[in-house]
Amino acid sequence: MKTEKGYPIPQGCTVSGNKVNFSVAVPTKKKCELLLYKKGKKSPLTVLPVKEDSVTGELRFLSVILDRPQEYEYNYRIEGTIVPDPYGKSFAGKEVWGKKRDVQNHEIRTHIVPDDFFWESDTRPHLAMDEVIAYTLHVRGFTKHKSSKVRHKGTFCGLIEKLPYIRQLGVNQIQCMPVYEFEENQERYTNYWGYGEGCYFAPKASYAVEDAVTELKETVKTLHKEGIEIVLEMPFTSGTSMLLIADCLRYWVMQYHIDGFIVNPDVCDIGALSKDPVLIHTKLLRKQDQFQNTMRRFLKGDEGMIGEVAWQLRHLSDGGETFNYIAGHNGFTLHDVVSYDGKHNELNGEQNHDGPEYNYSWNCGAEGPSRKKAVLELRKGQIRNAFLLLLLAQGTPCILAGDEFENTQKGNNNVYCQDNPTAWLDWSALEKDPSLFEFVKRLTVFRREHRVFCPKTEMRGLDDMCCGIPDVSYHGRYAWQMPSEIASRQLGVFYHGTNGREDNCFVAYNMHWIEHIFALPKLPKELKWHEAVNTMEGVLKEARPIEEREVSVKERTIRVFVGL
């Protein structure tokens, strides 16, 4: 087997024809060996020393000539300990979820991955943030439940089998929880979510039917053909070097055509990454709970929320790096937000001490499952209200997968260790009652039809067009007067855009438990207000003309009017 000196950069394994270069960081003076295996074998075919070089710091490198590189696997042995390549792009021995393997017994090996995938004419959609309606999911949990009725449950292929449903819902960006190779078998629990240390360059083998590299690339290519972006959550652990983070994100963009990443600003410098020439057109996002907490408090009727709600409804982050959500993986599902006052994490084995303590939820009068018609109807109305708060806010909205058909985790707000139906989406809820799905589907269309809900720049409450009407204004019982009392739970928002007649929209939010009157702002003479959405009725098929100068809004209801 012929060897050559090789080169230090890039780190990891690089294939060029039949020449394979290996580069790995090893502390000075420690012995390093390259173990080469025939594919599928648990004993090395050969062991090659990887020596230090005086001019490349701690990087060790070696090139090996192999007739068919993809028929080989490798590891390193450093001071007697077998180590998979930290820059490894795929791993043998990790194909079965939950099956423990021992790397020291050669049961885990690093694949040699040639760059030979046929991308056809794949093009990243490059959607502007004002065009995005995002949908966040866990690849395994999205289709693992038997009710998903897909052939390849819990895999990238299963996700694509659900593509017609995703298109129907009207979302155009998929945000995935970690899909890199992580260790799910922890000492005391199953790491279902995938947070923590991992092999950040490799797609998770157990999320594939056969080959994770090919199947994830096929998933990306298929989504792109439909104009749908894919964003990966990459929560690097504290202490991860910026070099590795930058190398990793560049790799996913170049090799997998990934459209964006959700990263932790406490671990990496988003500003520096955004200036990287490879990542400069890639979305670099971060989570923030302020929108969620504000809207949940408003939804349940807390006092003193009007000013903050008005700000959150119009706020756009300066760099477009944040997105809005009312429910996420870390916390209650939307169904549970309106069904539980407290968390119920007993199955996690931590005496219910884990998970967020403050959920700003309200059970609508009964804790958990209920047969009371009044409670169930109130919950359904509150969920519709939540979707309006999310989809009519001007920032980028993100829907938690399953919220559109009332998926529940039975009050568990921290399912990090629940690889079972508690955390998996139960699609039977959609079959039993598709009405919420139909509501959300029509609401995503409504948002796109009315650009005032997704402007490119933040509205300022000023009359920039010199037409006598500001771009956004706030109202209540009286027109042009924003409710300022701390006890107020009603807010009217008038949006005036520049893209045509239908860009006059008025949203009347009443989160109080009593009915309230709203004055409708006066429109130009040729226009009249028409009701388009009412959370007691849904998105109306035909807008209903309103002759009155003021309207009554029932308790815990939102009504939306357009000028026609």
Side-chain angles (χ1 to χ4, degrees), residues 76-324:
Y76 296 105
R77 186 159 57 202
I78 300 173
E79 289 291 295
T81 300
I82 297 175
V83 180
D85 189 351
Y87 274 66
K89 297 159 186 172
S90 178
F91 293 90
K94 301 286 289 182
E95 297 84 0
V96 179
W97 172 276
K99 187 173 183 178
K100 294 183 179 182
R101 296 296 181 100
D102 186 355
V103 66
Q104 302 307 315
N105 289 333
H106 309 280
E107 292 176 345
I108 297 174
R109 302 168 304 282
T110 315
H111 283 137
I112 295 177
V113 180
D115 180 17
D116 58 358
F117 182 76
F118 181 47
W119 280 102
E120 300 178 58
S121 57
D122 180 69
T123 303
R124 291 164 61 193
H126 287 300
L127 300 175
M129 287 298 285
D130 59 283
E131 298 174 340
V132 170
I133 299 178
Y135 188 71
T136 180
L137 55 83
H138 185 286
V139 168
R140 180 174 171 83
F142 188 58
T143 59
K144 187 61 180 174
H145 198 281
K146 63 181 180 181
S147 62
S148 69
K149 296 182 179 178
V150 301
R151 181 182 177 191
H152 302 296
K153 294 178 174 58
T155 65
F156 299 121
C157 293
L159 170 58
I160 291 305
E161 288 181 68
K162 284 293 185 182
L163 184 54
Y165 171 85
I166 292 169
R167 283 199 309 261
Q168 222 183 346
L169 185 59
V171 299
N172 56 10
Q173 183 187 93
I174 303 297
Q175 296 183 358
C176 296
M177 293 184 74
V179 301
Y180 53 76
E181 192 62 78
F182 58 86
E183 179 53 66
E184 65 271 20
N185 300 300
Q186 300 298 319
E187 186 176 342
R188 295 183 297 105
Y189 66 95
T190 296
N191 182 15
Y192 170 69
W193 279 349
Y195 295 141
E197 293 184 359
C199 299
Y200 297 122
F201 292 79
K204 188 152 184 61
S206 62
Y207 287 0
V209 179
E210 293 181 359
D211 174 20
V213 171
T214 299
E215 290 171 32
L216 179 53
K217 290 180 178 180
E218 286 287 357
T219 298
V220 175
K221 184 170 72 172
T222 303
L223 290 173
H224 284 177
K225 285 179 179 178
E226 298 294 335
I228 300 173
E229 294 183 331
I230 181 166
V231 171
L232 303 184
E233 190 170 354
M234 299 293 292
F236 299 101
T237 54
S238 178
T240 305
S241 74
M242 275 298 294
L243 173 62
L244 184 144
I245 290 172
D247 283 350
C248 179
L249 300 189
R250 289 190 205 108
Y251 177 78
W252 284 103
V253 169
M254 293 188 295
Q255 292 297 319
Y256 287 86
H257 297 196
I258 296 301
D259 301 286
F261 304 95
I262 301 170
V263 294
N264 183 350
D266 296 330
V267 173
C268 59
D269 185 342
I270 295 180
L273 291 171
S274 68
K275 295 180 177 66
D276 185 280
V278 174
L279 305 176
I280 198 163
H281 299 304
T282 299
K283 293 179 173 68
L284 298 172
L285 309 176
R286 59 183 174 85
K287 292 182 176 180
Q288 57 90 22
D289 292 337
Q290 191 174 359
F291 181 91
Q292 171 189 269
N293 296 343
T294 297
M295 294 310 176
R296 284 190 184 185
R297 291 186 63 193
F298 184 50
L299 184 69
K300 73 188 186 74
D302 281 2
E303 65 181 16
M305 298 304 302
I306 297 301
E308 179 66 15
V309 167
W311 187 82
Q312 289 289 348
L313 286 172
R314 76 168 187 269
H315 177 61
L316 304 178
S317 59
D318 292 338
E321 73 275 8
T322 62
F323 51 92
N324 296 334

Side-chain angles (χ1 to χ4, degrees), residues 360-536:
Y360 305 108
S361 60
W362 175 49
N363 64 21
C364 296
E367 186 73 357
S370 174
R371 294 184 178 181
K372 294 181 180 178
K373 184 177 180 180
V375 170
L376 296 177
E377 287 302 313
L378 178 55
R379 288 176 178 174
K380 288 181 180 296
Q382 287 288 80
I383 291 174
R384 291 192 291 269
N385 287 337
F387 270 109
L388 256 76
L389 287 166
L390 177 64
L391 289 168
L392 299 191
Q394 297 187 320
T396 301
C398 183
I399 299 168
L400 175 64
D403 275 355
E404 72 279 7
F405 54 79
E406 295 191 59
N407 184 63
T408 178
Q409 292 171 177
K410 299 178 176 60
N412 192 320
N413 72 355
N414 190 34
V415 295
Y416 73 100
C417 58
Q418 297 294 330
D419 178 40
N420 54 52
T422 298
W424 302 340
L425 266 63
D426 184 350
W427 294 83
S428 64
L430 178 62
E431 292 185 4
K432 292 174 185 174
D433 184 2
S435 60
L436 179 61
F437 168 75
E438 293 296 328
F439 173 76
V440 177
K441 181 175 71 173
R442 297 184 67 186
L443 196 54
T444 59
V445 173
F446 183 83
R447 176 185 172 88
R448 288 197 172 95
E449 288 176 343
H450 299 279
R451 293 296 303 174
V452 289
F453 296 117
C454 38
K456 292 188 178 297
T457 57
E458 184 171 313
M459 291 182 171
R460 301 184 297 161
L462 301 176
D463 182 12
D464 291 329
M465 301 300 296
C466 300
C467 60
I469 304 175
D471 52 5
V472 63
S473 54
Y474 303 100
H475 310 257
R477 174 64 181 86
Y478 302 102
W480 306 102
Q481 295 184 28
M482 181 175 176
S484 58
E485 301 85 0
I486 193 170
S488 180
R489 294 165 173 87
Q490 72 176 111
L491 176 66
V493 187
F494 179 20
Y495 300 99
H496 176 67
T498 58
N499 295 328
R501 290 161 57 91
E502 293 188 25
D503 266 359
N504 289 289
C505 293
F506 182 77
V507 187
Y509 299 93
N510 181 15
M511 296 295 100
H512 209 175
W513 45 88
I514 59 176
E515 189 172 349
H516 279 286
I517 301 295
F518 285 76
L520 291 173
K522 190 175 180 180
L523 288 168
K525 290 183 180 179
E526 71 275 12
L527 300 179
K528 287 186 177 180
W529 287 116
H530 290 66
E531 185 170 24
V533 184
N534 185 320
T535 51
M536 283 194 168

